[in-house]
Each structure stands twice: as C-alpha cells, then as structure tokens.
Amino acid sequence: HRHDLWLDGGDKAITYGVGFTYNRKNGVMKQSGGDIYDLNFKLNYRTGNFIFTNNFTLNYDNSWNPPVSFKEFAETDPYYPKVINEKEPYYLENFAAPIGEGGIWYVKEANPLHNASLNHKNSAYGMSFTNNFLAEWNPIREFKVRFKFQIHRTQGINELYVSPFHSSQQANTIK
C-alpha cells in the first residue's frame, strides 16, 4: 500500500511544495518485502525574464528477503514430500551410493522447510538524494536559455546471515 502527503503554496513570484511518501511493497515469497520512504521539496522563483526551479528528493529503502529463495523451493525434487523429518531435519533424502572403484556418491536433497525455520538475515538498506536545479532566461519570446544541474548520491548496505545449520553449510563430498 502507498500513502502520499503533499503541501504547497506560494504567490506569483514564489511557489513551493513539500511532500512525503510511504510505500509498503509485499514480496512474492513469505517473509519478503520492503518499505520505501520519500521526502520531496520543490521551489520555483520567477522574476522578470528569469525562472529558477529546485527539486530535492531524499529516498530511504529498506527491503528484506525470505530465508529460502524461490529457486531453492523450485529446484527441490518434487518426488520428496516437503516435511520436517525429526531424525534428519537438514535433508529430505540423505544416502550414500557406491560409484566406480571405491568411490561413494552422497545424495543429499536439501530440506527447504528446515532451512526456512532457521535464524537468518537477508536484507538491504539504501539511501539516496537527488537535487535538480534549473535556471531559465527568456530575453525575448523566440529565444530561451536554459541551465540544468543535477547532484545525485546513492549509498546502500546489504546484510546476509545464514545459520550454520542451513543445509548449504553442510558438507557435500565425494570420497
């Protein structure tokens, strides 16, 4: 869902506006989504043949991802029922099969439900600002000079923590 608030005012020479936006985005998978916050400021100044405009936007984005990706659920063999087995919670199937001369092949089908039940963190935080400035001069009706300038900065942090009990942290080896 999204919420917007915009206040503006002014007169013939100066107009201004201040706005705030909140947007909740729901992810496709359970425990995924994010929040977006925007703060906007707009100022217009007109005098004679000159127009000056400044638009400033500050954005904060916070998003989180599910403990188990859609890919992990989709790649799990549909042959195995997706339940948590108390004896072997890490895997839906776990057995060893001989290969070649003295080799052993380990089959370990990860259990996405077990992985989803573990502590995790997979999130991103970001902040950006943009400032747009425009100066315009109209000495005569048929002639116009414009100057545009923009400053933009973005910074973000991604955090990922996977439990040591997650099946991706278990050894899958061929001896």
Side-chain angles (χ1 to χ4, degrees):
H1 62 272
R2 181 183 172 115
H3 302 281
D4 294 299
L5 175 66
W6 183 262
L7 303 171
D8 58 9
D11 57 23
K12 283 186 177 183
I14 296 176
T15 59
Y16 55 87
V18 176
F20 176 77
T21 302
Y22 168 74
N23 187 11
R24 165 64 70 118
K25 52 185 181 175
N26 295 318
V28 176
M29 298 287 288
K30 286 183 180 180
Q31 301 177 3
S32 68
D35 294 318
I36 300 172
Y37 302 91
D38 290 317
L39 180 63
N40 305 297
F41 179 73
K42 184 174 185 177
L43 178 67
N44 291 320
Y45 176 65
R46 298 169 192 235
T47 179
N49 295 333
F50 292 96
I51 299 172
F52 301 97
T53 301
N54 197 70
N55 293 322
F56 177 80
T57 301
L58 181 65
N59 173 274
Y60 175 76
D61 187 355
N62 173 23
S63 62
W64 51 91
N65 295 310
V68 177
S69 68
F70 176 78
K71 180 181 176 185
E72 189 174 337
F73 268 105
E75 288 181 347
T76 303
D77 192 331
Y79 168 78
Y80 303 110
K82 292 172 183 69
V83 295
I84 293 184
N85 179 349
E86 296 302 323
K87 293 180 188 175
E88 183 65 62
Y90 300 114
Y91 303 103
L92 297 173
E93 186 70 50
N94 186 9
F95 66 88
I99 58 171
E101 294 183 25
I104 298 176
W105 176 46
Y106 290 98
V107 174
K108 295 183 177 186
E109 184 72 34
N111 187 345
L113 291 179
H114 169 73
N115 292 339
S117 71
L118 300 171
N119 288 332
H120 80 286
K121 184 166 191 169
N122 186 354
S123 58
Y125 310 92
M127 184 174 264
S128 67
F129 78 86
T130 304
N131 194 66
N132 293 308
F133 176 76
L134 168 72
E136 187 174 291
W137 177 47
N138 296 321
I140 57 174
R141 184 179 171 133
E142 294 81 21
F143 183 72
K144 184 184 292 188
V145 177
R146 277 191 178 160
F147 171 76
K148 293 181 179 182
F149 181 73
Q150 181 185 68
I151 297 174
H152 179 78
R153 170 90 174 150
T154 300
Q155 187 171 0
I157 297 171
N158 293 323
E159 293 182 329
L160 176 62
Y161 165 78
V162 178
S163 170
F165 301 111
H166 191 280
S167 61
S168 67
Q169 304 302 309
Q170 307 302 313
N172 290 324
T173 60
I174 296 178
K175 291 183 181 178

Short mmCIF file of all heavy atoms in Angstrom, two decimals, residues 51-111:
data_model
loop_
_atom_site.label_atom_id
_atom_site.label_comp_id
_atom_site.label_asym_id
_atom_site.label_seq_id
_atom_site.Cartn_x
_atom_site.Cartn_y
_atom_site.Cartn_z
N ILE A 51 13.49 32.33 -14.53
CA ILE A 51 12.78 31.32 -13.74
C ILE A 51 13.85 30.42 -13.12
O ILE A 51 14.74 29.93 -13.82
CB ILE A 51 11.84 30.46 -14.60
CG1 ILE A 51 10.76 31.31 -15.26
CG2 ILE A 51 11.21 29.35 -13.76
CD1 ILE A 51 9.92 30.55 -16.27
N PHE A 52 13.75 30.20 -11.82
CA PHE A 52 14.66 29.30 -11.11
C PHE A 52 13.81 28.21 -10.44
O PHE A 52 12.83 28.51 -9.77
CB PHE A 52 15.47 30.04 -10.04
CG PHE A 52 16.29 31.16 -10.59
CD1 PHE A 52 15.83 32.47 -10.57
CD2 PHE A 52 17.53 30.90 -11.15
CE1 PHE A 52 16.59 33.49 -11.09
CE2 PHE A 52 18.30 31.92 -11.67
CZ PHE A 52 17.83 33.22 -11.65
N THR A 53 14.22 26.97 -10.64
CA THR A 53 13.48 25.84 -10.06
C THR A 53 14.48 24.91 -9.38
O THR A 53 15.54 24.61 -9.93
CB THR A 53 12.75 25.04 -11.17
OG1 THR A 53 11.85 25.93 -11.84
CG2 THR A 53 11.97 23.88 -10.58
N ASN A 54 14.11 24.45 -8.19
CA ASN A 54 14.93 23.47 -7.48
C ASN A 54 14.02 22.36 -6.96
O ASN A 54 13.02 22.63 -6.30
CB ASN A 54 15.67 24.12 -6.31
CG ASN A 54 16.80 23.24 -5.84
OD1 ASN A 54 17.78 23.07 -6.53
ND2 ASN A 54 16.63 22.66 -4.66
N ASN A 55 14.37 21.11 -7.28
CA ASN A 55 13.65 19.93 -6.79
C ASN A 55 14.63 19.07 -6.00
O ASN A 55 15.68 18.69 -6.53
CB ASN A 55 13.10 19.10 -7.95
CG ASN A 55 12.00 19.80 -8.69
OD1 ASN A 55 11.19 20.48 -8.10
ND2 ASN A 55 11.99 19.64 -10.00
N PHE A 56 14.27 18.75 -4.78
CA PHE A 56 15.12 17.91 -3.92
C PHE A 56 14.31 16.70 -3.49
O PHE A 56 13.16 16.82 -3.06
CB PHE A 56 15.57 18.71 -2.69
CG PHE A 56 16.38 17.89 -1.73
CD1 PHE A 56 17.72 17.64 -1.97
CD2 PHE A 56 15.80 17.34 -0.59
CE1 PHE A 56 18.47 16.88 -1.09
CE2 PHE A 56 16.54 16.59 0.30
CZ PHE A 56 17.87 16.35 0.05
N THR A 57 14.92 15.51 -3.59
CA THR A 57 14.28 14.26 -3.18
C THR A 57 15.25 13.46 -2.31
O THR A 57 16.40 13.27 -2.69
CB THR A 57 13.88 13.41 -4.39
OG1 THR A 57 12.99 14.16 -5.21
CG2 THR A 57 13.20 12.13 -3.96
N LEU A 58 14.76 13.01 -1.17
CA LEU A 58 15.52 12.13 -0.28
C LEU A 58 14.74 10.83 -0.21
O LEU A 58 13.53 10.83 0.05
CB LEU A 58 15.65 12.76 1.10
CG LEU A 58 16.43 11.97 2.14
CD1 LEU A 58 17.89 11.83 1.72
CD2 LEU A 58 16.33 12.65 3.49
N ASN A 59 15.42 9.70 -0.45
CA ASN A 59 14.78 8.39 -0.52
C ASN A 59 15.47 7.43 0.43
O ASN A 59 16.70 7.36 0.46
CB ASN A 59 14.86 7.88 -1.97
CG ASN A 59 14.37 6.46 -2.10
OD1 ASN A 59 15.14 5.53 -1.90
ND2 ASN A 59 13.11 6.29 -2.43
N TYR A 60 14.68 6.67 1.19
CA TYR A 60 15.20 5.61 2.05
C TYR A 60 14.45 4.33 1.69
O TYR A 60 13.22 4.31 1.64
CB TYR A 60 15.01 5.94 3.53
CG TYR A 60 15.44 4.81 4.43
CD1 TYR A 60 16.78 4.56 4.67
CD2 TYR A 60 14.50 3.99 5.04
CE1 TYR A 60 17.19 3.53 5.49
CE2 TYR A 60 14.90 2.95 5.86
CZ TYR A 60 16.24 2.73 6.08
OH TYR A 60 16.63 1.70 6.89
N ASP A 61 15.19 3.25 1.44
CA ASP A 61 14.60 1.97 1.04
C ASP A 61 15.12 0.88 1.97
O ASP A 61 16.32 0.75 2.18
CB ASP A 61 14.99 1.67 -0.41
CG ASP A 61 14.29 0.44 -0.97
OD1 ASP A 61 13.57 -0.25 -0.22
OD2 ASP A 61 14.46 0.17 -2.16
N ASN A 62 14.21 0.12 2.53
CA ASN A 62 14.55 -0.99 3.43
C ASN A 62 13.84 -2.22 2.88
O ASN A 62 12.62 -2.23 2.75
CB ASN A 62 14.05 -0.66 4.84
CG ASN A 62 14.21 -1.81 5.80
OD1 ASN A 62 15.02 -2.68 5.59
ND2 ASN A 62 13.42 -1.81 6.86
N SER A 63 14.60 -3.26 2.51
CA SER A 63 13.96 -4.45 1.97
C SER A 63 14.52 -5.69 2.65
O SER A 63 15.64 -5.70 3.15
CB SER A 63 14.17 -4.53 0.45
OG SER A 63 15.53 -4.64 0.14
N TRP A 64 13.72 -6.74 2.65
CA TRP A 64 14.14 -8.00 3.26
C TRP A 64 13.70 -9.14 2.35
O TRP A 64 12.70 -9.06 1.65
CB TRP A 64 13.56 -8.15 4.66
CG TRP A 64 12.09 -7.92 4.74
CD1 TRP A 64 11.11 -8.86 4.62
CD2 TRP A 64 11.41 -6.68 4.94
NE1 TRP A 64 9.87 -8.29 4.73
CE2 TRP A 64 10.03 -6.95 4.93
CE3 TRP A 64 11.83 -5.37 5.13
CZ2 TRP A 64 9.07 -5.96 5.09
CZ3 TRP A 64 10.87 -4.39 5.29
CH2 TRP A 64 9.52 -4.69 5.28
N ASN A 65 14.49 -10.19 2.38
CA ASN A 65 14.26 -11.35 1.54
C ASN A 65 13.93 -12.56 2.39
O ASN A 65 14.31 -12.63 3.55
CB ASN A 65 15.50 -11.64 0.69
CG ASN A 65 15.77 -10.53 -0.29
OD1 ASN A 65 14.88 -10.11 -1.02
ND2 ASN A 65 16.98 -10.01 -0.30
N PRO A 66 13.25 -13.56 1.82
CA PRO A 66 12.86 -14.73 2.61
C PRO A 66 14.08 -15.58 2.97
O PRO A 66 15.13 -15.48 2.34
CB PRO A 66 11.94 -15.50 1.65
CG PRO A 66 12.39 -15.11 0.30
CD PRO A 66 12.85 -13.67 0.42
N PRO A 67 13.93 -16.43 3.99
CA PRO A 67 15.05 -17.29 4.40
C PRO A 67 15.42 -18.31 3.33
O PRO A 67 16.56 -18.75 3.26
CB PRO A 67 14.56 -17.97 5.67
CG PRO A 67 13.07 -17.88 5.61
CD PRO A 67 12.76 -16.63 4.84
N VAL A 68 14.46 -18.70 2.52
CA VAL A 68 14.70 -19.68 1.45
C VAL A 68 14.20 -19.05 0.15
O VAL A 68 13.06 -18.60 0.07
CB VAL A 68 13.95 -20.99 1.73
CG1 VAL A 68 14.14 -21.98 0.60
CG2 VAL A 68 14.41 -21.60 3.04
N SER A 69 15.06 -19.03 -0.84
CA SER A 69 14.69 -18.41 -2.11
C SER A 69 13.67 -19.25 -2.87
O SER A 69 13.54 -20.45 -2.65
CB SER A 69 15.93 -18.20 -2.97
OG SER A 69 16.43 -19.45 -3.40
N PHE A 70 12.98 -18.60 -3.78
CA PHE A 70 12.06 -19.32 -4.66
C PHE A 70 12.81 -20.39 -5.44
O PHE A 70 12.32 -21.50 -5.64
CB PHE A 70 11.37 -18.35 -5.62
CG PHE A 70 10.48 -19.04 -6.60
CD1 PHE A 70 9.22 -19.49 -6.22
CD2 PHE A 70 10.89 -19.27 -7.90
CE1 PHE A 70 8.40 -20.15 -7.11
CE2 PHE A 70 10.08 -19.93 -8.81
CZ PHE A 70 8.83 -20.37 -8.41
N LYS A 71 14.02 -20.07 -5.86
CA LYS A 71 14.83 -21.01 -6.62
C LYS A 71 15.08 -22.29 -5.82
O LYS A 71 14.99 -23.40 -6.35
CB LYS A 71 16.16 -20.36 -7.00
CG LYS A 71 17.07 -21.25 -7.79
CD LYS A 71 18.38 -20.54 -8.11
CE LYS A 71 19.31 -21.49 -8.83
NZ LYS A 71 20.62 -20.93 -9.06
N GLU A 72 15.37 -22.15 -4.52
CA GLU A 72 15.64 -23.32 -3.68
C GLU A 72 14.39 -24.21 -3.56
O GLU A 72 14.49 -25.43 -3.62
CB GLU A 72 16.11 -22.88 -2.30
CG GLU A 72 16.61 -24.01 -1.44
CD GLU A 72 17.21 -23.53 -0.11
OE1 GLU A 72 17.63 -22.37 -0.01
OE2 GLU A 72 17.23 -24.35 0.83
N PHE A 73 13.21 -23.59 -3.41
CA PHE A 73 11.98 -24.38 -3.36
C PHE A 73 11.72 -25.05 -4.71
O PHE A 73 11.37 -26.22 -4.79
CB PHE A 73 10.78 -23.50 -3.01
CG PHE A 73 10.49 -23.44 -1.55
CD1 PHE A 73 10.82 -22.32 -0.80
CD2 PHE A 73 9.87 -24.50 -0.90
CE1 PHE A 73 10.55 -22.26 0.54
CE2 PHE A 73 9.60 -24.45 0.45
CZ PHE A 73 9.94 -23.33 1.17
N ALA A 74 11.91 -24.28 -5.80
CA ALA A 74 11.59 -24.80 -7.13
C ALA A 74 12.54 -25.92 -7.56
O ALA A 74 12.14 -26.83 -8.28
CB ALA A 74 11.64 -23.67 -8.15
N GLU A 75 13.80 -25.86 -7.13
CA GLU A 75 14.77 -26.88 -7.54
C GLU A 75 14.71 -28.14 -6.69
O GLU A 75 15.37 -29.12 -7.00
CB GLU A 75 16.18 -26.30 -7.50
CG GLU A 75 16.44 -25.32 -8.62
CD GLU A 75 17.84 -24.76 -8.61
OE1 GLU A 75 18.56 -24.92 -7.59
OE2 GLU A 75 18.22 -24.15 -9.61
N THR A 76 13.92 -28.13 -5.63
CA THR A 76 13.78 -29.33 -4.81
C THR A 76 12.97 -30.36 -5.59
O THR A 76 11.91 -30.06 -6.12
CB THR A 76 13.06 -29.00 -3.49
OG1 THR A 76 13.81 -28.00 -2.81
CG2 THR A 76 12.95 -30.22 -2.60
N ASP A 77 13.49 -31.58 -5.66
CA ASP A 77 12.84 -32.65 -6.42
C ASP A 77 11.42 -32.86 -5.88
O ASP A 77 11.24 -33.10 -4.68
CB ASP A 77 13.66 -33.93 -6.27
CG ASP A 77 13.24 -35.02 -7.24
OD1 ASP A 77 12.05 -35.05 -7.62
OD2 ASP A 77 14.09 -35.84 -7.60
N PRO A 78 10.39 -32.78 -6.74
CA PRO A 78 9.02 -32.94 -6.26
C PRO A 78 8.71 -34.35 -5.76
O PRO A 78 7.68 -34.57 -5.14
CB PRO A 78 8.17 -32.58 -7.49
CG PRO A 78 9.06 -32.72 -8.65
CD PRO A 78 10.46 -32.49 -8.16
N TYR A 79 9.61 -35.30 -6.01
CA TYR A 79 9.43 -36.67 -5.53
C TYR A 79 9.37 -36.71 -4.01
O TYR A 79 8.66 -37.51 -3.42
CB TYR A 79 10.57 -37.55 -6.06
CG TYR A 79 10.65 -38.92 -5.42
CD1 TYR A 79 9.78 -39.93 -5.80
CD2 TYR A 79 11.59 -39.18 -4.43
CE1 TYR A 79 9.85 -41.18 -5.22
CE2 TYR A 79 11.67 -40.43 -3.83
CZ TYR A 79 10.80 -41.42 -4.23
OH TYR A 79 10.87 -42.65 -3.64
N TYR A 80 10.15 -35.85 -3.36
CA TYR A 80 10.25 -35.87 -1.91
C TYR A 80 9.16 -35.00 -1.28
O TYR A 80 9.01 -33.85 -1.65
CB TYR A 80 11.61 -35.35 -1.45
CG TYR A 80 12.76 -36.11 -2.04
CD1 TYR A 80 13.59 -35.53 -2.99
CD2 TYR A 80 13.03 -37.42 -1.66
CE1 TYR A 80 14.65 -36.22 -3.55
CE2 TYR A 80 14.09 -38.12 -2.21
CZ TYR A 80 14.89 -37.52 -3.14
OH TYR A 80 15.94 -38.21 -3.68
N PRO A 81 8.43 -35.55 -0.31
CA PRO A 81 7.47 -34.69 0.40
C PRO A 81 8.23 -33.66 1.23
O PRO A 81 9.23 -33.97 1.87
CB PRO A 81 6.69 -35.67 1.28
CG PRO A 81 7.58 -36.85 1.43
CD PRO A 81 8.44 -36.91 0.21
N LYS A 82 7.74 -32.43 1.20
CA LYS A 82 8.42 -31.35 1.93
C LYS A 82 7.87 -31.28 3.35
O LYS A 82 6.91 -30.57 3.62
CB LYS A 82 8.26 -30.04 1.18
CG LYS A 82 9.03 -30.06 -0.13
CD LYS A 82 8.74 -28.87 -0.98
CE LYS A 82 9.44 -28.95 -2.29
NZ LYS A 82 8.94 -29.98 -3.18
N VAL A 83 8.49 -32.07 4.23
CA VAL A 83 8.13 -32.11 5.64
C VAL A 83 9.43 -32.07 6.44
O VAL A 83 10.50 -32.36 5.92
CB VAL A 83 7.33 -33.39 6.02
CG1 VAL A 83 5.99 -33.40 5.31
CG2 VAL A 83 8.12 -34.64 5.69
N ILE A 84 9.30 -31.72 7.71
CA ILE A 84 10.49 -31.73 8.57
C ILE A 84 10.57 -33.09 9.23
O ILE A 84 9.68 -33.50 9.98
CB ILE A 84 10.44 -30.59 9.60
CG1 ILE A 84 10.53 -29.25 8.89
CG2 ILE A 84 11.55 -30.75 10.63
CD1 ILE A 84 10.59 -28.06 9.79
N ASN A 85 11.64 -33.82 8.93
CA ASN A 85 11.89 -35.15 9.48
C ASN A 85 12.72 -34.95 10.75
O ASN A 85 13.80 -34.39 10.71
CB ASN A 85 12.65 -35.97 8.44
CG ASN A 85 12.99 -37.37 8.93
OD1 ASN A 85 12.84 -37.69 10.10
ND2 ASN A 85 13.45 -38.19 8.00
N GLU A 86 12.21 -35.42 11.88
CA GLU A 86 12.92 -35.22 13.15
C GLU A 86 14.27 -35.93 13.19
O GLU A 86 15.20 -35.48 13.82
CB GLU A 86 12.03 -35.67 14.32
CG GLU A 86 10.76 -34.86 14.48
CD GLU A 86 11.03 -33.38 14.69
OE1 GLU A 86 12.01 -33.01 15.36
OE2 GLU A 86 10.24 -32.57 14.17
N LYS A 87 14.40 -37.08 12.52
CA LYS A 87 15.67 -37.81 12.53
C LYS A 87 16.73 -37.09 11.71
O LYS A 87 17.89 -37.06 12.08
CB LYS A 87 15.47 -39.22 11.96
CG LYS A 87 14.63 -40.13 12.80
CD LYS A 87 14.51 -41.49 12.13
CE LYS A 87 13.52 -42.37 12.85
NZ LYS A 87 13.30 -43.63 12.16
N GLU A 88 16.33 -36.56 10.57
CA GLU A 88 17.27 -35.91 9.65
C GLU A 88 16.62 -34.63 9.13
O GLU A 88 16.10 -34.59 8.02
CB GLU A 88 17.59 -36.86 8.49
CG GLU A 88 18.61 -36.33 7.51
CD GLU A 88 19.99 -36.13 8.10
OE1 GLU A 88 20.60 -37.10 8.55
OE2 GLU A 88 20.44 -34.97 8.12
N PRO A 89 16.61 -33.56 9.94
CA PRO A 89 15.88 -32.35 9.53
C PRO A 89 16.54 -31.57 8.39
O PRO A 89 15.88 -30.83 7.70
CB PRO A 89 15.86 -31.51 10.81
CG PRO A 89 17.06 -31.94 11.56
CD PRO A 89 17.23 -33.40 11.24
N TYR A 90 17.85 -31.76 8.18
CA TYR A 90 18.55 -30.98 7.17
C TYR A 90 18.17 -31.35 5.75
O TYR A 90 18.21 -30.54 4.85
CB TYR A 90 20.08 -31.16 7.29
CG TYR A 90 20.64 -30.74 8.62
CD1 TYR A 90 21.19 -31.68 9.48
CD2 TYR A 90 20.63 -29.41 9.01
CE1 TYR A 90 21.72 -31.30 10.69
CE2 TYR A 90 21.14 -29.02 10.23
CZ TYR A 90 21.69 -29.96 11.07
OH TYR A 90 22.21 -29.58 12.27
N TYR A 91 17.83 -32.64 5.55
CA TYR A 91 17.66 -33.14 4.18
C TYR A 91 16.35 -33.90 4.04
O TYR A 91 15.88 -34.55 4.97
CB TYR A 91 18.82 -34.07 3.80
CG TYR A 91 20.16 -33.39 3.93
CD1 TYR A 91 20.99 -33.65 5.02
CD2 TYR A 91 20.56 -32.46 2.99
CE1 TYR A 91 22.20 -33.00 5.15
CE2 TYR A 91 21.77 -31.79 3.12
CZ TYR A 91 22.59 -32.08 4.19
OH TYR A 91 23.77 -31.42 4.33
N LEU A 92 15.78 -33.85 2.85
CA LEU A 92 14.62 -34.67 2.53
C LEU A 92 15.06 -36.10 2.21
O LEU A 92 14.32 -37.04 2.41
CB LEU A 92 13.87 -34.07 1.33
CG LEU A 92 13.30 -32.68 1.56
CD1 LEU A 92 12.74 -32.12 0.27
CD2 LEU A 92 12.24 -32.72 2.65
N GLU A 93 16.27 -36.22 1.69
CA GLU A 93 16.85 -37.53 1.38
C GLU A 93 18.35 -37.42 1.64
O GLU A 93 18.97 -36.42 1.31
CB GLU A 93 16.59 -37.90 -0.08
CG GLU A 93 17.03 -39.28 -0.46
CD GLU A 93 16.16 -40.37 0.16
OE1 GLU A 93 14.92 -40.29 0.06
OE2 GLU A 93 16.73 -41.29 0.75
N ASN A 94 18.92 -38.46 2.26
CA ASN A 94 20.34 -38.46 2.58
C ASN A 94 20.82 -39.90 2.56
O ASN A 94 20.54 -40.66 3.47
CB ASN A 94 20.57 -37.82 3.96
CG ASN A 94 22.04 -37.67 4.29
OD1 ASN A 94 22.90 -37.87 3.45
ND2 ASN A 94 22.32 -37.31 5.52
N PHE A 95 21.51 -40.29 1.49
CA PHE A 95 22.06 -41.64 1.44
C PHE A 95 23.34 -41.64 0.64
O PHE A 95 23.65 -40.70 -0.09
CB PHE A 95 21.05 -42.64 0.87
CG PHE A 95 20.71 -42.42 -0.58
CD1 PHE A 95 21.46 -43.00 -1.59
CD2 PHE A 95 19.64 -41.61 -0.94
CE1 PHE A 95 21.16 -42.80 -2.91
CE2 PHE A 95 19.34 -41.41 -2.27
CZ PHE A 95 20.09 -42.00 -3.26
N ALA A 96 24.10 -42.70 0.78
CA ALA A 96 25.36 -42.86 0.06
C ALA A 96 25.22 -44.01 -0.92
O ALA A 96 24.62 -45.04 -0.61
CB ALA A 96 26.49 -43.14 1.04
N ALA A 97 25.77 -43.82 -2.11
CA ALA A 97 25.74 -44.87 -3.14
C ALA A 97 27.14 -45.06 -3.68
O ALA A 97 27.86 -44.09 -3.90
CB ALA A 97 24.79 -44.46 -4.26
N PRO A 98 27.55 -46.33 -3.87
CA PRO A 98 28.90 -46.56 -4.41
C PRO A 98 28.97 -46.16 -5.88
O PRO A 98 28.02 -46.35 -6.63
CB PRO A 98 29.09 -48.06 -4.23
CG PRO A 98 27.72 -48.62 -4.14
CD PRO A 98 26.83 -47.55 -3.57
N ILE A 99 30.12 -45.57 -6.26
CA ILE A 99 30.37 -45.26 -7.67
C ILE A 99 31.79 -45.69 -8.01
O ILE A 99 32.71 -45.52 -7.21
CB ILE A 99 30.18 -43.75 -8.00
CG1 ILE A 99 31.10 -42.88 -7.15
CG2 ILE A 99 28.75 -43.33 -7.85
CD1 ILE A 99 31.14 -41.43 -7.55
N GLY A 100 31.95 -46.26 -9.18
CA GLY A 100 33.28 -46.65 -9.63
C GLY A 100 33.96 -47.61 -8.67
O GLY A 100 33.33 -48.40 -7.97
N GLU A 101 35.26 -47.50 -8.62
CA GLU A 101 36.06 -48.36 -7.75
C GLU A 101 36.35 -47.64 -6.44
O GLU A 101 37.23 -46.78 -6.38
CB GLU A 101 37.36 -48.75 -8.45
CG GLU A 101 37.12 -49.62 -9.66
CD GLU A 101 38.43 -50.04 -10.30
OE1 GLU A 101 39.46 -50.09 -9.60
OE2 GLU A 101 38.40 -50.32 -11.50
N GLY A 102 35.62 -47.98 -5.43
CA GLY A 102 35.87 -47.45 -4.10
C GLY A 102 35.33 -46.05 -3.85
O GLY A 102 35.53 -45.48 -2.79
N GLY A 103 34.66 -45.49 -4.80
CA GLY A 103 34.10 -44.15 -4.61
C GLY A 103 32.71 -44.20 -4.00
O GLY A 103 32.00 -45.19 -4.10
N ILE A 104 32.33 -43.14 -3.35
CA ILE A 104 31.00 -43.07 -2.74
C ILE A 104 30.37 -41.75 -3.18
O ILE A 104 30.98 -40.68 -3.11
CB ILE A 104 31.07 -43.11 -1.20
CG1 ILE A 104 31.67 -44.45 -0.75
CG2 ILE A 104 29.69 -42.93 -0.59
CD1 ILE A 104 31.87 -44.54 0.75
N TRP A 105 29.13 -41.84 -3.63
CA TRP A 105 28.38 -40.66 -4.03
C TRP A 105 27.33 -40.39 -2.97
O TRP A 105 26.51 -41.25 -2.66
CB TRP A 105 27.73 -40.91 -5.39
CG TRP A 105 26.86 -39.80 -5.87
CD1 TRP A 105 27.14 -38.48 -5.87
CD2 TRP A 105 25.55 -39.93 -6.43
NE1 TRP A 105 26.11 -37.77 -6.41
CE2 TRP A 105 25.11 -38.65 -6.76
CE3 TRP A 105 24.73 -41.01 -6.70
CZ2 TRP A 105 23.88 -38.40 -7.34
CZ3 TRP A 105 23.50 -40.76 -7.28
CH2 TRP A 105 23.09 -39.48 -7.59
N TYR A 106 27.36 -39.21 -2.40
CA TYR A 106 26.39 -38.84 -1.37
C TYR A 106 25.25 -38.06 -2.01
O TYR A 106 25.48 -37.07 -2.68
CB TYR A 106 27.04 -37.99 -0.28
CG TYR A 106 28.00 -38.75 0.58
CD1 TYR A 106 29.37 -38.70 0.35
CD2 TYR A 106 27.54 -39.53 1.63
CE1 TYR A 106 30.25 -39.41 1.13
CE2 TYR A 106 28.41 -40.25 2.43
CZ TYR A 106 29.76 -40.18 2.18
OH TYR A 106 30.63 -40.88 2.96
N VAL A 107 24.04 -38.52 -1.79
CA VAL A 107 22.86 -37.82 -2.28
C VAL A 107 22.25 -37.11 -1.07
O VAL A 107 21.85 -37.76 -0.11
CB VAL A 107 21.84 -38.78 -2.90
CG1 VAL A 107 20.57 -38.04 -3.27
CG2 VAL A 107 22.44 -39.48 -4.10
N LYS A 108 22.23 -35.81 -1.15
CA LYS A 108 21.65 -35.01 -0.07
C LYS A 108 20.72 -33.99 -0.69
O LYS A 108 21.15 -33.04 -1.31
CB LYS A 108 22.75 -34.31 0.72
CG LYS A 108 23.66 -35.26 1.46
CD LYS A 108 24.69 -34.51 2.28
CE LYS A 108 25.54 -35.49 3.06
NZ LYS A 108 26.45 -34.82 3.97
N GLU A 109 19.43 -34.23 -0.54
CA GLU A 109 18.41 -33.31 -1.07
C GLU A 109 18.03 -32.37 0.07
O GLU A 109 17.45 -32.77 1.07
CB GLU A 109 17.20 -34.10 -1.56
CG GLU A 109 16.13 -33.27 -2.21
CD GLU A 109 16.53 -32.75 -3.58
OE1 GLU A 109 17.26 -33.45 -4.31
OE2 GLU A 109 16.11 -31.64 -3.93
N ALA A 110 18.40 -31.10 -0.07
CA ALA A 110 18.18 -30.12 1.00
C ALA A 110 16.70 -29.96 1.30
O ALA A 110 15.85 -30.05 0.41
CB ALA A 110 18.76 -28.78 0.59
N ASN A 111 16.39 -29.73 2.57
CA ASN A 111 15.01 -29.54 3.01
C ASN A 111 14.73 -28.04 3.14
O ASN A 111 15.18 -27.40 4.10
CB ASN A 111 14.80 -30.25 4.35
CG ASN A 111 13.36 -30.22 4.78
OD1 ASN A 111 12.54 -29.48 4.26
ND2 ASN A 111 13.03 -31.05 5.77
#
